[in-house]
Amino acid sequence: MELVMEIARKTVRANEIAIFWLGQAGFLIKDDRGRTVTIDPYLTDCCERAFGFKRLSPKLISPSELETDVLVSTHEHLDHFDVDAIPILMANGRTKFIGSPTSVGKCAEMGIAEDRLTALSEGDTLDLGWVKLTAVYADHGDLAPDAIGVLVSINGVLIYYTGDTAYRPEKMSSAIAARPDIIILPINGAYGNLDAREAAYLVRDTGAKYAIPCHYWTFAVHGGNPQEFDDIMKAEVPGCRAIFLRQGEAFSYKGA
């Protein structure tokens, strides 16, 4: 309940956004009118139930507490597509779900109405007026062949959420050319993801002003060393500031 209240109380001004880290690879983005986009939230213990991956970090918000205008899932892995949380998050009848084709298919199997579901593949864009979402290339290999990254344009700010991906700069040209203000990316180096050095290189490639690392400190098997990322960033990408959030903490950014 405390995090719910913090999100509600958070003041966001014109041309500004607030980004809350929900843990693992989950983020909530709030605009100046209180509208929210939530990406890849992992809110339950479904990974432990399914695979024995014990959660090491606390659950800060329950699915029944979190109401969001838009819910995004970049691929169908349970730490990004929380099968126990999604039916609850979508139960209000108004939240729109946007995700990879496989993720959308799984929502349809749950009985979620098709008019609330939008599948995005690389190059597709959905413009809701107050937020625009563009699917970009992500390489999660055979683990999730239709995984996507997402460019989120909201309140005058452009965010590149890479999703789970390997370092493939030659295929990430559209996201790199977009010159995002903020990049959010994994640093764990396991299961085909960017490691700390590759993550820093992708930050450098995009020219982002701020980088928010994620995908660490939730499961022991996933790895991830934020200190290593910080050291490499300072040496290789001194023009970008790495932002290390506590789980539940917000980062505010005002666009031009």
Side-chain angles (χ1 to χ4, degrees):
M1 182 61 72
E2 182 179 345
L3 180 54
V4 173
M5 296 304 295
E6 287 185 19
I7 293 170
R9 288 194 300 258
K10 181 66 176 177
T11 299
V12 181
R13 297 175 176 82
N15 297 319
E16 186 180 60
I17 50 95
I19 302 174
F20 288 83
W21 187 30
L22 304 179
Q24 186 59 346
F27 290 85
L28 181 146
I29 306 165
K30 181 178 179 180
D31 76 358
D32 61 332
R33 293 180 60 183
R35 297 168 294 201
T36 59
V37 176
T38 304
I39 307 177
D40 287 357
Y42 178 60
L43 306 179
T44 73
D45 291 313
C46 68
C47 285
E48 183 173 11
R49 175 173 57 77
F51 307 116
F53 288 2
K54 178 182 177 180
R55 175 191 283 274
L56 303 181
S57 56
K59 289 178 283 188
L60 301 181
I61 190 168
S62 73
S64 61
E65 292 173 330
L66 178 58
E67 291 197 10
T68 188
D69 296 286
V70 174
L71 177 62
V72 177
S73 177
T74 58
H75 63 288
E76 72 272 20
H77 292 166
L78 298 192
D79 58 326
H80 297 255
F81 183 88
D82 187 328
V83 293
D84 291 346
I86 285 173
I88 301 170
L89 293 169
M90 297 296 292
N92 58 33
R94 68 173 187 84
T95 297
K96 298 181 183 299
F97 183 95
I98 294 101
S100 69
T102 301
S103 298
V104 167
K106 290 183 179 295
C107 281
E109 291 172 5
M110 293 175 178
I112 298 169
E114 291 188 5
D115 62 357
R116 297 171 61 205
L117 306 176
T118 302
L120 295 182
S121 297
E122 181 186 354
D124 293 341
T125 294
L126 177 65
D127 192 341
L128 297 177
W130 61 277
V131 61
K132 183 167 70 173
L133 302 157
T134 300
V136 295
Y137 178 86
D139 177 7
H140 209 22
D142 295 336
L143 296 168
D146 65 357
I148 56 173
V150 183
L151 290 172
V152 182
S153 179
I154 180 169
N155 226 23
V157 180
L158 184 62
I159 302 162
Y160 174 22
Y161 180 93
T162 71
D164 282 6
T165 186
Y167 182 53
R168 301 284 185 264
E170 69 284 358
K171 295 185 177 181
M172 294 168 159
S173 56
S174 63
I176 290 171
R179 311 305 284 178
D181 300 294
I182 300 166
I183 183 170
I184 300 173
L185 69 178
I187 60 168
N188 62 308
Y191 297 92
N193 277 350
L194 301 161
D195 62 22
R197 183 166 297 277
E198 292 166 333
Y201 288 166
L202 184 54
V203 174
R204 177 199 60 196
D205 295 342
T206 64
K209 303 177 184 73
Y210 294 92
I212 303 176
C214 66
H215 223 296
Y216 60 92
W217 290 358
T218 302
F219 308 114
V221 296
H222 274 189
N225 185 335
Q227 182 63 64
E228 180 185 9
F229 178 68
D230 193 33
D231 291 343
I232 296 170
M233 284 288 294
K234 287 175 179 174
E236 301 283 348
V237 201
C240 176
R241 180 182 169 193
I243 302 295
F244 297 92
L245 296 176
R246 294 188 308 275
Q247 294 182 11
E249 185 180 9
F251 169 66
S252 295
Y253 176 80
K254 185 175 178 63

